[in-house]
Amino acid sequence: MTVHRFGEVPMDNGQSRQRMRPWLEAKVQAGNIPGLSWIDQEKKIFKVPWKHGGKHDWSEGDSTIFKEWALHTGRYREGVDQADWPTWKTRFRCALNKLPDIQEMKEYNQLDGSEPFRAYKFLSKEELNQKKLGNNEYREVCTLTPTSNTQNPALPDIVPVEVKAAPQSQLPNFPSDLEDLELDPIKSDPNLLANTQLNHIITPANDIKEEPGDHGDVEMTELYAELSLTTRGPQQHLSPLQVPRRQEPQDHEMEILLRYCQQQVQIFHVRSPHGCRLFYDPERNDQMLLEPLKQELFGPDQFEQLEFPQCETTNPGQEEHTYKLLTALDRGMLLECHNGNIYATRKSRCVIFISTPAINNGEPFKLERNVKVQVYDSHGYFEPMLQRYLSGASKKPLSHFVIGFGQRIMSNNADHSGLLISAQVNHSRSQHRLNQVSCASPLSSSINISQSDDFDKLLKLVKDESNAQVMEISNGLSA
């Protein structure tokens, strides 16, 4: 039996290696790797060079630390394996984020300029304990693991995979368009399954059913006697909150809800009549090109530029896979809305799937690259179906469609919380119309309200007495 010393971890070949923290701390202290150095040695804050591999002045020396880590972990064998600088960088960052005793110091990060870097801190035992106390309520949701095949990190155009129904105890294992990644089933919390959101419809108030109340053996006079309303001081009368009526959105407006796994990370309100571009490129390489090449690669300049946020999670598997998808979204996708019709154009290498009620009853389909496709029709689909819904002849129409990035989606109504990156795009005017008539359909279910019990009656007495005092004060002030 092989015995591994403290501070070492086993490797696939049966040998052991030094853990990342002591290994990295020694590298920082030695100071022989370009760009890897202390920012504040006393506070244990250091910087890691973070120059993008696509920069014209990038050299292998800018990413030496990533290669060193790949060599140390055995993921790269010099002279045997092909160099893969982007993957080394991703694995290094994921390994850092996985460690509880190394923390990114975002306020020190400098990702612009000629020598960009990220800042991190080696945490002391005391700082680590404080961090654990602050994370007691954290609950991991996504569990994803890479396969051993890392020889081909390229993103193929599409990998057709048949989707089978999953048992209720787990969410679907969505097929991935990443050839070298395999997504394990994403475990679901029973509480989440129990609280699955349904399409609740506010129903008319003229169909209210009352249930018998639970009347306990409570003497109303005894309870009311315990309340000394006369001891209350003058109270400010608060009128009901006046909520301003929202104006009807323009026909070209959209709302985009962006999700990473089960977390909603961004809401974009698109009000530009031209449309928007969804993309990921922190270094904005699109700004380095000139027309007409720039427009061919990224779309028109007048589109709103909406950037995907970083994936902030302590789950290294989710972060690594999400980052692979994001890097393939550097050219992005275009969304534009004209006369209530929404069109999508895929520019990116990342394969994009759409599920829209306006096409094939929501059956998902793949967007071809550089082809403008209509994905929502408010006048041809939404308005006619809305009228049928109001007459009781149809179910409620949808004011949105769903996008899956790099993974095939099931349907518009399916649970998409297992997708690494997904988006729901609402046509704002259709959503507004739906909100206006949501209580008018004859298909709406009845409202159920229980009869008042003794405590409800007591509360009514308190309200009546309080209102009487307010009126008395008001009359006194006006006299």
Side-chain angles (χ1 to χ4, degrees):
M1 181 179 69
T2 303
V3 178
H4 301 285
R5 293 179 295 175
F6 180 77
E8 295 182 341
V9 292
M11 299 174 65
D12 294 337
N13 57 12
Q15 299 178 350
S16 60
R17 61 171 172 83
Q18 191 177 26
R19 292 184 181 274
M20 187 178 200
R21 167 154 181 174
W23 176 86
L24 185 57
E25 198 163 359
K27 293 290 184 183
V28 177
Q29 187 64 37
N32 53 15
I33 293 181
L36 183 70
S37 61
W38 294 110
I39 294 177
D40 188 329
Q41 185 171 1
E42 185 178 350
K43 295 181 178 179
K44 294 290 185 178
I45 300 174
F46 63 99
K47 63 180 179 179
V48 178
W50 215 267
K51 183 174 291 188
H52 193 281
K55 288 284 190 180
H56 64 89
D57 60 343
W58 177 87
S59 67
E60 293 185 359
D62 295 316
S63 299
T64 301
I65 182 60
F66 310 134
K67 179 181 179 181
E68 290 293 318
W69 177 244
L71 288 167
H72 181 69
T73 56
R75 295 295 187 95
Y76 173 63
R77 297 164 298 172
E78 203 151 22
V80 178
D81 300 323
Q82 289 186 348
D84 190 350
W85 297 93
T87 299
W88 296 343
K89 185 177 183 180
T90 299
R91 286 177 177 158
F92 179 87
R93 185 183 180 194
C94 288
L96 273 181
N97 291 339
K98 184 178 179 181
L99 291 178
D101 54 352
I102 296 182
Q103 178 176 306
E104 185 174 0
M105 306 295 287
K106 295 183 179 180
E107 63 271 26
Y108 289 90
N109 285 351
Q110 183 177 308
L111 300 178
D112 299 321
S114 59
E115 300 297 333
F117 62 84
R118 289 186 182 274
Y120 294 88
K121 176 182 174 67
F122 295 115
L123 299 181
S124 64
K125 290 184 178 180
E126 293 76 14
E127 290 169 329
L128 181 59
N129 289 334
Q130 291 178 358
K131 180 180 177 182
K132 288 180 179 179
L133 288 175
N135 289 339
N136 277 343
E137 296 182 359
Y138 177 79
R139 178 164 52 87
E140 195 68 70
V141 178
C142 294
T143 55
L144 305 101
T145 57
T147 63
S148 58
N149 176 24
T150 58
Q151 297 300 315
N152 185 7
L155 286 166
D157 190 48
I158 182 170
V159 180
V161 181
E162 182 180 356
V163 180
K164 298 181 179 180
Q168 188 175 6
S169 60
Q170 63 184 37
L171 297 177
N173 180 17
F174 293 94
S176 173
D177 287 291
L178 301 175
E179 187 176 10
D180 60 330
L181 299 179
E182 180 181 285
L183 304 186
D184 287 346
I186 298 175
K187 307 301 181 183
S188 58
D189 191 320
N191 295 326
L192 294 178
L193 293 175
N195 295 325
T196 303
Q197 293 184 353
L198 302 176
N199 289 329
H200 296 290
I201 303 176
I202 302 175
T203 54
N206 58 2
D207 187 16
I208 299 178
K209 298 178 181 178
E210 286 199 355
E211 297 177 350
D214 298 324
H215 299 282
D217 298 329
V218 181
E219 286 291 339
M220 295 297 297
T221 53
E222 294 180 7
L223 286 173
Y224 190 66
E226 294 179 8
L227 298 175
S228 178
L229 295 178
T230 56
T231 61
R232 297 183 184 179
Q235 297 181 2
Q236 182 179 2
H237 180 61
L238 299 178
S239 59
L241 179 63
Q242 299 297 319
V243 180
R245 185 183 298 273
R246 187 191 172 200
Q247 293 183 346
E248 185 174 9
Q250 298 293 315
D251 213 14
H252 61 262
E253 292 185 32
M254 297 176 286
E255 182 182 66
I256 304 172
L257 285 69
L258 190 63
R259 297 173 64 95
Y260 291 168
C261 263
Q262 298 193 7
Q263 182 182 8
Q264 182 173 296
V265 295
Q266 191 82 50
I267 299 179
F268 296 113
H269 298 278
V270 182
R271 296 183 173 89
S272 168
H274 302 290
C276 68
R277 170 179 168 241
L278 278 169
F279 71 101
Y280 177 82
D281 185 6
E283 300 184 12
R284 295 306 304 268
N285 292 298
D286 58 324
Q287 298 179 354
M288 301 180 183
L289 299 177
L290 300 176
E291 299 291 355
L293 181 60
K294 179 179 180 180
Q295 180 165 326
E296 180 66 26
L297 287 174
F298 306 107
D301 267 347
Q302 61 264 37
F303 277 35
E304 283 190 45
Q305 303 296 310
L306 309 178
E307 188 168 4
F308 286 90
Q310 293 276 2
C311 180
E312 301 289 346
T313 177
T314 58
N315 185 329
Q318 178 191 352
E319 182 177 32
E320 181 176 358
H321 300 340
T322 302
Y323 182 72
K324 276 187 174 288
L325 286 179
L326 289 174
T327 54
L329 282 163
D330 48 1
R331 290 178 61 190
M333 75 173 297
L334 309 179
L335 290 172
E336 47 191 308
C337 186
H338 306 293
N339 299 320
N341 298 324
I342 301 179
Y343 300 87
T345 306
R346 169 191 161 203
K347 291 287 187 180
S348 66
R349 291 182 297 121
C350 178
V351 180
I352 293 175
F353 295 93
I354 301 286
S355 174
T356 171
I359 301 177
N360 295 332
N361 295 318
E363 185 68 23
F365 63 93
K366 185 185 78 168
L367 283 183
E368 301 297 336
R369 295 186 79 173
N370 299 310
V371 178
K372 185 175 177 178
V373 178
Q374 182 176 343
V375 292
Y376 191 80
D377 185 350
S378 65
H379 301 294
Y381 157 75
F382 178 81
E383 288 296 340
M385 192 167 182
L386 180 64
Q387 296 306 316
R388 292 196 296 271
Y389 166 69
L390 293 175
S391 64
S394 172
K395 63 181 181 180
K396 184 167 60 173
L398 296 177
S399 60
H400 68 270
F401 63 93
V402 177
I403 306 173
F405 296 90
Q407 292 171 277
R408 190 188 304 274
I409 54 183
M410 305 292 285
S411 70
N412 202 301
N413 292 319
D415 184 353
H416 302 112
S417 59
L419 293 175
L420 288 169
I421 307 176
S422 64
Q424 176 179 308
V425 181
N426 296 322
H427 180 243
S428 299
R429 177 172 285 185
S430 296
Q431 181 64 45
H432 180 77
R433 293 270 290 127
L434 204 57
N435 292 339
Q436 285 182 317
V437 302
S438 60
C439 62
S441 171
L443 297 179
S444 301
S445 58
S446 60
I447 291 177
N448 295 275
I449 298 178
S450 298
Q451 295 177 353
S452 298
D453 61 12
D454 289 339
F455 290 101
D456 296 323
K457 294 174 182 178
L458 172 62
L459 180 58
K460 185 178 184 303
L461 289 173
V462 173
K463 290 179 179 178
D464 291 343
E465 183 68 21
S466 179
N467 290 335
Q469 285 192 1
V470 171
M471 290 298 296
E472 183 179 347
I473 294 171
S474 299
N475 292 335
L477 292 175
S478 60

